[in-house]
Amino acid sequence: MGSYAGSERQELLPERHPTADFFVCDIFDALPKDDLASMEHPLFSLSTRADLRVLSYRHNDVSITVTPSVKGRATLFDKDILIYCISQIMAALNAGRPVSRTVHLRAHDLLVATNRETSGDGYRRLVEAFERLAGTRITTNIATTEVETTTGFGLIETWQIQRRTRGGRMVSVRVTLAEWLYRAVLAKSVLTLSRDYFRLRKPLERRVYELARKHCGHQPGWRISLPVLAHKSGSASPLRVFRRMIRDMIATNHLPDYDLAEEPGDIIHVRPRQVVLAPGEGPHPSPEALAEARRLIPGADAHALEADWRAWWVTTGRPRLRSPDAAFLGWVRKRA
């Protein structure tokens, strides 16, 4: 987890739950996963109030129409539920366990994992989020894997509270994901997010982080014009207002993993905070070592562990390693 100055931390939500319990049950050290399609396109509302507008979006060959229910369009904070479900499925796939489109989860675990309050109000908001996710309808020609479809569907197919406490608070929930989203997860068309994603207060910050993670990743940098960034973010604000919001984001500088900078010509330059290794540079653990890492931390993304270890290798002065596998597994054991 990145370190930021105290003045920058004031803009982040408090870390309400210990990160050691980020995913409970048998997921141990799973990292949050997000599907690439909804990271690329603005399916979710940036509004914190009921958004009843129909969104029509087109970029290159992709067209999307998002129609809200009377409860409003699903928000970027509602998306936390999908991220949690995707993470559960990916952790099961990585551990070799059977998966299905229907995810059974404990409401408390979801709230803890996504850094939400576990008060009665937190559970009430969770129910409202399920209703918006199920009610929001999408018509699109998004392609997942090699299949392109033009169809209409919801963000989730169904949800059901299966058990409540004596006081009426939900305990266990069953969620059935949309078919297109499940196909994307099975194809592992997902990326790992920083845990600090759930500490970002503003929807636009979360959206810009998603786009940076999708387009910049671990590359040395990514440049995008401000008008295109506004379009891809799904912002309904005038460009001058959007420019001011991005400048505020640059000034606070608390996006996880990435720095933003403004360049002449209304260009935004995104750079990863960590040192980026050139292709082929640095140590690489063998496939056998990656398999052992999965055994040591069941459910973990071994390739994410490898990326973190290689970044750690850079920050420790690029020491010469007699055995990259032994060094990698020693580092993994410390984390386990």
Side-chain angles (χ1 to χ4, degrees):
M1 191 176 296
S3 60
Y4 310 98
S7 61
E8 295 163 357
R9 278 295 189 186
Q10 294 174 1
E11 294 293 329
L12 294 171
L13 290 169
E15 195 168 308
R16 296 189 173 101
H17 313 286
T19 54
D21 296 327
F22 184 70
F23 285 116
V24 290
C25 303
D26 57 351
I27 304 303
F28 297 125
D29 197 34
L31 294 172
K33 300 287 183 179
D34 200 355
D35 73 287
L36 291 173
S38 66
M39 290 175 77
E40 171 71 10
H41 308 296
L43 305 185
F44 295 85
S45 173
L46 298 180
S47 176
T48 55
R49 299 179 180 179
D51 189 347
L52 300 176
R53 296 169 299 173
V54 175
L55 171 73
S56 296
Y57 170 87
R58 179 176 292 276
H59 186 73
N60 296 331
D61 295 328
V62 175
S63 62
I64 300 172
T65 301
V66 186
T67 305
S69 70
V70 294
K71 300 282 187 178
R73 184 152 58 101
T75 72
L76 212 54
F77 292 102
D78 298 340
K79 188 180 181 181
D80 289 355
I81 293 171
L82 297 187
I83 293 174
Y84 181 80
C85 291
I86 291 168
S87 305
Q88 297 285 299
I89 294 173
M90 283 302 302
L93 287 172
N94 288 335
R97 297 194 302 272
V99 298
S100 77
R101 197 154 59 97
T102 298
V103 179
H104 298 263
L105 53 91
R106 291 178 56 196
H108 179 268
D109 298 346
L110 190 158
L111 293 171
V112 169
T114 55
N115 199 45
R116 292 172 177 238
E117 295 178 354
T118 54
S119 62
D121 191 49
Y123 284 87
R124 178 185 61 79
R125 291 177 181 174
L126 197 56
V127 171
E128 294 173 352
F130 280 123
E131 291 176 337
R132 284 189 294 267
L133 285 169
T136 298
R137 305 298 299 177
I138 299 170
T139 304
T140 182
N141 64 346
I142 284 179
T144 55
T145 67
E146 296 179 357
V147 179
E148 180 176 328
T149 57
T150 301
T151 187
F153 45 81
L155 290 166
I156 59 176
E157 189 168 295
T158 61
W159 69 280
Q160 182 182 66
I161 298 175
Q162 294 186 296
R163 188 161 59 92
R164 293 181 182 269
T165 64
R166 290 181 179 178
R169 183 176 296 182
M170 76 169 84
V171 177
S172 60
V173 183
R174 185 181 69 189
V175 182
T176 301
L177 299 181
E179 180 66 35
W180 72 273
L181 182 58
Y182 184 61
R183 283 205 311 264
V185 178
L186 291 183
K188 298 190 175 181
S189 183
V190 297
L191 287 174
T192 300
L193 304 181
S194 165
R195 287 184 173 89
D196 274 348
Y197 171 85
F198 298 113
R199 298 185 61 199
L200 294 172
R201 292 178 182 273
K202 300 176 182 178
L204 182 60
E205 293 174 332
R206 293 186 172 207
R207 183 69 187 127
V208 170
Y209 171 80
E210 283 187 339
L211 291 168
R213 183 68 187 89
K214 168 67 166 58
H215 290 282
C216 185
H218 297 294
Q219 299 178 80
W222 172 58
R223 287 178 171 84
I224 183 171
S225 72
L226 198 75
V228 173
L229 180 61
H231 179 61
K232 290 174 75 68
S233 73
S235 174
S237 299
L239 189 60
R240 59 179 176 78
V241 176
F242 182 80
R243 183 183 294 108
R244 185 172 65 247
M245 290 190 291
I246 293 297
R247 285 174 176 172
D248 289 344
M249 206 179 298
I250 292 171
T252 54
N253 191 32
H254 60 231
L255 277 193
D257 302 334
Y258 298 98
D259 287 311
L260 304 181
E262 186 178 10
E263 296 182 347
D266 256 357
I267 299 297
I268 302 301
H269 187 188
V270 182
R271 287 171 293 192
R273 294 182 187 274
Q274 291 186 336
V275 176
V276 178
L277 293 172
E281 182 186 3
H284 289 272
S286 67
E288 292 75 18
L290 294 176
E292 177 64 10
R294 294 188 187 97
R295 188 192 69 79
L296 291 169
I297 308 182
D301 185 332
H303 294 289
L305 289 174
E306 178 190 1
D308 289 345
W309 172 68
R310 280 161 53 81
W312 172 84
W313 175 79
V314 171
T315 61
T316 54
R318 304 173 185 250
R320 181 174 295 180
L321 302 178
R322 182 174 299 176
S323 170
D325 281 2
F328 170 64
L329 291 174
W331 180 86
V332 170
R333 287 188 184 95
K334 288 181 180 178
R335 289 197 56 168

PDB file of all heavy atoms in Angstrom, residues 38-39 65 85 112 155 158 199 212 224-225 227 234 246 264 273 289 294-295 333:
ATOM      1  N   SER A  38     -15.880  -2.710 -17.942  1.00  0.00           N
ATOM      2  CA  SER A  38     -16.475  -1.596 -17.198  1.00  0.00           C
ATOM      3  C   SER A  38     -15.413  -0.642 -16.673  1.00  0.00           C
ATOM      4  O   SER A  38     -15.741   0.433 -16.189  1.00  0.00           O
ATOM      5  CB  SER A  38     -17.349  -2.111 -16.050  1.00  0.00           C
ATOM      6  OG  SER A  38     -16.577  -2.762 -15.067  1.00  0.00           O
ATOM      7  N   MET A  39     -14.119  -1.028 -16.747  1.00  0.00           N
ATOM      8  CA  MET A  39     -13.059  -0.070 -16.453  1.00  0.00           C
ATOM      9  C   MET A  39     -12.867   0.869 -17.643  1.00  0.00           C
ATOM     10  O   MET A  39     -12.494   2.024 -17.491  1.00  0.00           O
ATOM     11  CB  MET A  39     -11.746  -0.796 -16.149  1.00  0.00           C
ATOM     12  CG  MET A  39     -11.753  -1.557 -14.828  1.00  0.00           C
ATOM     13  SD  MET A  39     -10.240  -2.501 -14.570  1.00  0.00           S
ATOM     14  CE  MET A  39      -9.105  -1.201 -14.102  1.00  0.00           C
ATOM     15  N   THR A  65     -25.855   2.208 -24.182  1.00  0.00           N
ATOM     16  CA  THR A  65     -26.966   2.961 -23.613  1.00  0.00           C
ATOM     17  C   THR A  65     -27.249   2.369 -22.242  1.00  0.00           C
ATOM     18  O   THR A  65     -27.469   1.159 -22.117  1.00  0.00           O
ATOM     19  CB  THR A  65     -28.223   2.867 -24.485  1.00  0.00           C
ATOM     20  OG1 THR A  65     -27.930   3.386 -25.790  1.00  0.00           O
ATOM     21  CG2 THR A  65     -29.359   3.670 -23.882  1.00  0.00           C
ATOM     22  N   CYS A  85     -17.495  -9.487  -5.811  1.00  0.00           N
ATOM     23  CA  CYS A  85     -17.891 -10.764  -6.408  1.00  0.00           C
ATOM     24  C   CYS A  85     -16.846 -11.262  -7.400  1.00  0.00           C
ATOM     25  O   CYS A  85     -16.502 -12.458  -7.417  1.00  0.00           O
ATOM     26  CB  CYS A  85     -19.255 -10.620  -7.099  1.00  0.00           C
ATOM     27  SG  CYS A  85     -20.649 -10.367  -5.981  1.00  0.00           S
ATOM     28  N   VAL A 112     -16.789  -5.121   5.069  1.00  0.00           N
ATOM     29  CA  VAL A 112     -15.420  -4.999   5.569  1.00  0.00           C
ATOM     30  C   VAL A 112     -14.443  -4.897   4.405  1.00  0.00           C
ATOM     31  O   VAL A 112     -13.547  -4.045   4.395  1.00  0.00           O
ATOM     32  CB  VAL A 112     -15.067  -6.200   6.476  1.00  0.00           C
ATOM     33  CG1 VAL A 112     -13.575  -6.237   6.779  1.00  0.00           C
ATOM     34  CG2 VAL A 112     -15.854  -6.119   7.776  1.00  0.00           C
ATOM     35  N   LEU A 155     -26.779  -5.241 -14.712  1.00  0.00           N
ATOM     36  CA  LEU A 155     -25.426  -5.411 -14.185  1.00  0.00           C
ATOM     37  C   LEU A 155     -25.331  -6.664 -13.327  1.00  0.00           C
ATOM     38  O   LEU A 155     -24.291  -7.325 -13.291  1.00  0.00           O
ATOM     39  CB  LEU A 155     -25.021  -4.179 -13.381  1.00  0.00           C
ATOM     40  CG  LEU A 155     -24.794  -2.925 -14.229  1.00  0.00           C
ATOM     41  CD1 LEU A 155     -24.745  -1.691 -13.347  1.00  0.00           C
ATOM     42  CD2 LEU A 155     -23.505  -3.050 -15.029  1.00  0.00           C
ATOM     43  N   THR A 158     -29.798 -11.372 -10.651  1.00  0.00           N
ATOM     44  CA  THR A 158     -30.697 -11.441  -9.497  1.00  0.00           C
ATOM     45  C   THR A 158     -29.885 -11.276  -8.213  1.00  0.00           C
ATOM     46  O   THR A 158     -28.669 -11.452  -8.205  1.00  0.00           O
ATOM     47  CB  THR A 158     -31.430 -12.799  -9.411  1.00  0.00           C
ATOM     48  OG1 THR A 158     -30.460 -13.849  -9.270  1.00  0.00           O
ATOM     49  CG2 THR A 158     -32.284 -13.040 -10.634  1.00  0.00           C
ATOM     50  N   ARG A 199     -10.854   3.656  -0.454  1.00  0.00           N
ATOM     51  CA  ARG A 199     -10.737   4.802   0.447  1.00  0.00           C
ATOM     52  C   ARG A 199     -10.924   6.125  -0.289  1.00  0.00           C
ATOM     53  O   ARG A 199     -10.953   7.183   0.341  1.00  0.00           O
ATOM     54  CB  ARG A 199      -9.383   4.772   1.145  1.00  0.00           C
ATOM     55  CG  ARG A 199      -9.174   3.526   2.014  1.00  0.00           C
ATOM     56  CD  ARG A 199      -7.878   3.600   2.763  1.00  0.00           C
ATOM     57  NE  ARG A 199      -7.872   4.751   3.656  1.00  0.00           N
ATOM     58  CZ  ARG A 199      -6.768   5.296   4.164  1.00  0.00           C
ATOM     59  NH1 ARG A 199      -5.579   4.800   3.840  1.00  0.00           N
ATOM     60  NH2 ARG A 199      -6.841   6.336   4.972  1.00  0.00           N
ATOM     61  N   ALA A 212      -6.615   4.935 -15.361  1.00  0.00           N
ATOM     62  CA  ALA A 212      -5.151   4.872 -15.264  1.00  0.00           C
ATOM     63  C   ALA A 212      -4.693   3.431 -15.151  1.00  0.00           C
ATOM     64  O   ALA A 212      -3.721   3.017 -15.806  1.00  0.00           O
ATOM     65  CB  ALA A 212      -4.677   5.685 -14.058  1.00  0.00           C
ATOM     66  N   ILE A 224      -3.367  11.438 -22.172  1.00  0.00           N
ATOM     67  CA  ILE A 224      -4.724  11.509 -22.703  1.00  0.00           C
ATOM     68  C   ILE A 224      -5.155  12.964 -22.677  1.00  0.00           C
ATOM     69  O   ILE A 224      -4.823  13.711 -21.750  1.00  0.00           O
ATOM     70  CB  ILE A 224      -5.681  10.623 -21.878  1.00  0.00           C
ATOM     71  CG1 ILE A 224      -7.090  10.644 -22.487  1.00  0.00           C
ATOM     72  CG2 ILE A 224      -5.701  11.031 -20.415  1.00  0.00           C
ATOM     73  CD1 ILE A 224      -8.039   9.624 -21.849  1.00  0.00           C
ATOM     74  N   SER A 225      -5.879  13.384 -23.706  1.00  0.00           N
ATOM     75  CA  SER A 225      -6.365  14.765 -23.728  1.00  0.00           C
ATOM     76  C   SER A 225      -7.495  14.915 -22.723  1.00  0.00           C
ATOM     77  O   SER A 225      -8.236  13.965 -22.434  1.00  0.00           O
ATOM     78  CB  SER A 225      -6.849  15.142 -25.130  1.00  0.00           C
ATOM     79  OG  SER A 225      -8.068  14.485 -25.435  1.00  0.00           O
ATOM     80  N   PRO A 227     -10.418  16.527 -22.953  1.00  0.00           N
ATOM     81  CA  PRO A 227     -11.763  16.230 -23.451  1.00  0.00           C
ATOM     82  C   PRO A 227     -12.041  14.731 -23.553  1.00  0.00           C
ATOM     83  O   PRO A 227     -13.146  14.280 -23.237  1.00  0.00           O
ATOM     84  CB  PRO A 227     -11.788  16.909 -24.825  1.00  0.00           C
ATOM     85  CG  PRO A 227     -10.773  18.002 -24.731  1.00  0.00           C
ATOM     86  CD  PRO A 227      -9.683  17.438 -23.873  1.00  0.00           C
ATOM     87  N   GLY A 234     -17.228   9.563 -18.153  1.00  0.00           N
ATOM     88  CA  GLY A 234     -18.678   9.638 -18.002  1.00  0.00           C
ATOM     89  C   GLY A 234     -19.137  10.897 -17.296  1.00  0.00           C
ATOM     90  O   GLY A 234     -20.302  11.013 -16.914  1.00  0.00           O
ATOM     91  N   ILE A 246      -9.937  17.961 -12.166  1.00  0.00           N
ATOM     92  CA  ILE A 246      -8.693  17.219 -12.408  1.00  0.00           C
ATOM     93  C   ILE A 246      -7.506  17.957 -11.792  1.00  0.00           C
ATOM     94  O   ILE A 246      -6.600  17.328 -11.203  1.00  0.00           O
ATOM     95  CB  ILE A 246      -8.478  17.002 -13.919  1.00  0.00           C
ATOM     96  CG1 ILE A 246      -9.552  16.066 -14.483  1.00  0.00           C
ATOM     97  CG2 ILE A 246      -7.087  16.426 -14.188  1.00  0.00           C
ATOM     98  CD1 ILE A 246      -9.538  14.667 -13.900  1.00  0.00           C
ATOM     99  N   PRO A 264       0.982  21.086 -21.467  1.00  0.00           N
ATOM    100  CA  PRO A 264       0.391  22.024 -22.430  1.00  0.00           C
ATOM    101  C   PRO A 264      -0.510  21.308 -23.435  1.00  0.00           C
ATOM    102  O   PRO A 264      -0.250  20.167 -23.826  1.00  0.00           O
ATOM    103  CB  PRO A 264       1.622  22.637 -23.120  1.00  0.00           C
ATOM    104  CG  PRO A 264       2.727  22.490 -22.119  1.00  0.00           C
ATOM    105  CD  PRO A 264       2.461  21.206 -21.405  1.00  0.00           C
ATOM    106  N   ARG A 273       3.594   5.328  -9.715  1.00  0.00           N
ATOM    107  CA  ARG A 273       4.469   5.787  -8.639  1.00  0.00           C
ATOM    108  C   ARG A 273       5.698   4.903  -8.496  1.00  0.00           C
ATOM    109  O   ARG A 273       6.772   5.377  -8.167  1.00  0.00           O
ATOM    110  CB  ARG A 273       3.704   5.788  -7.306  1.00  0.00           C
ATOM    111  CG  ARG A 273       2.567   6.788  -7.250  1.00  0.00           C
ATOM    112  CD  ARG A 273       1.905   6.757  -5.881  1.00  0.00           C
ATOM    113  NE  ARG A 273       0.710   7.578  -5.830  1.00  0.00           N
ATOM    114  CZ  ARG A 273       0.702   8.879  -5.569  1.00  0.00           C
ATOM    115  NH1 ARG A 273       1.847   9.500  -5.332  1.00  0.00           N
ATOM    116  NH2 ARG A 273      -0.421   9.556  -5.532  1.00  0.00           N
ATOM    117  N   ALA A 289       7.915 -21.823  -9.141  1.00  0.00           N
ATOM    118  CA  ALA A 289       7.908 -20.933  -7.979  1.00  0.00           C
ATOM    119  C   ALA A 289       6.565 -20.211  -7.857  1.00  0.00           C
ATOM    120  O   ALA A 289       6.057 -20.005  -6.747  1.00  0.00           O
ATOM    121  CB  ALA A 289       9.049 -19.927  -8.084  1.00  0.00           C
ATOM    122  N   ARG A 294       1.235 -19.823  -4.944  1.00  0.00           N
ATOM    123  CA  ARG A 294      -0.213 -20.032  -4.816  1.00  0.00           C
ATOM    124  C   ARG A 294      -0.523 -21.005  -3.675  1.00  0.00           C
ATOM    125  O   ARG A 294      -1.535 -20.867  -2.985  1.00  0.00           O
ATOM    126  CB  ARG A 294      -0.793 -20.580  -6.123  1.00  0.00           C
ATOM    127  CG  ARG A 294      -0.727 -19.608  -7.295  1.00  0.00           C
ATOM    128  CD  ARG A 294      -1.485 -20.146  -8.504  1.00  0.00           C
ATOM    129  NE  ARG A 294      -1.283 -19.298  -9.663  1.00  0.00           N
ATOM    130  CZ  ARG A 294      -0.385 -19.535 -10.613  1.00  0.00           C
ATOM    131  NH1 ARG A 294       0.401 -20.599 -10.521  1.00  0.00           N
ATOM    132  NH2 ARG A 294      -0.254 -18.721 -11.630  1.00  0.00           N
ATOM    133  N   ARG A 295       0.351 -21.994  -3.481  1.00  0.00           N
ATOM    134  CA  ARG A 295       0.138 -22.946  -2.387  1.00  0.00           C
ATOM    135  C   ARG A 295       0.353 -22.263  -1.037  1.00  0.00           C
ATOM    136  O   ARG A 295      -0.383 -22.519  -0.074  1.00  0.00           O
ATOM    137  CB  ARG A 295       1.085 -24.132  -2.538  1.00  0.00           C
ATOM    138  CG  ARG A 295       0.804 -25.274  -1.549  1.00  0.00           C
ATOM    139  CD  ARG A 295       1.919 -26.290  -1.543  1.00  0.00           C
ATOM    140  NE  ARG A 295       3.146 -25.745  -0.965  1.00  0.00           N
ATOM    141  CZ  ARG A 295       3.354 -25.618   0.345  1.00  0.00           C
ATOM    142  NH1 ARG A 295       2.421 -25.962   1.219  1.00  0.00           N
ATOM    143  NH2 ARG A 295       4.496 -25.120   0.789  1.00  0.00           N
ATOM    144  N   ARG A 333       6.792 -16.047   1.733  1.00  0.00           N
ATOM    145  CA  ARG A 333       6.573 -16.655   3.038  1.00  0.00           C
ATOM    146  C   ARG A 333       6.437 -15.586   4.116  1.00  0.00           C
ATOM    147  O   ARG A 333       5.641 -15.736   5.059  1.00  0.00           O
ATOM    148  CB  ARG A 333       7.728 -17.609   3.371  1.00  0.00           C
ATOM    149  CG  ARG A 333       7.692 -18.907   2.570  1.00  0.00           C
ATOM    150  CD  ARG A 333       8.718 -19.907   3.050  1.00  0.00           C
ATOM    151  NE  ARG A 333       8.724 -21.094   2.228  1.00  0.00           N
ATOM    152  CZ  ARG A 333       9.546 -21.303   1.202  1.00  0.00           C
ATOM    153  NH1 ARG A 333      10.453 -20.384   0.889  1.00  0.00           N
ATOM    154  NH2 ARG A 333       9.457 -22.410   0.483  1.00  0.00           N
TER     155      ARG A 333
END
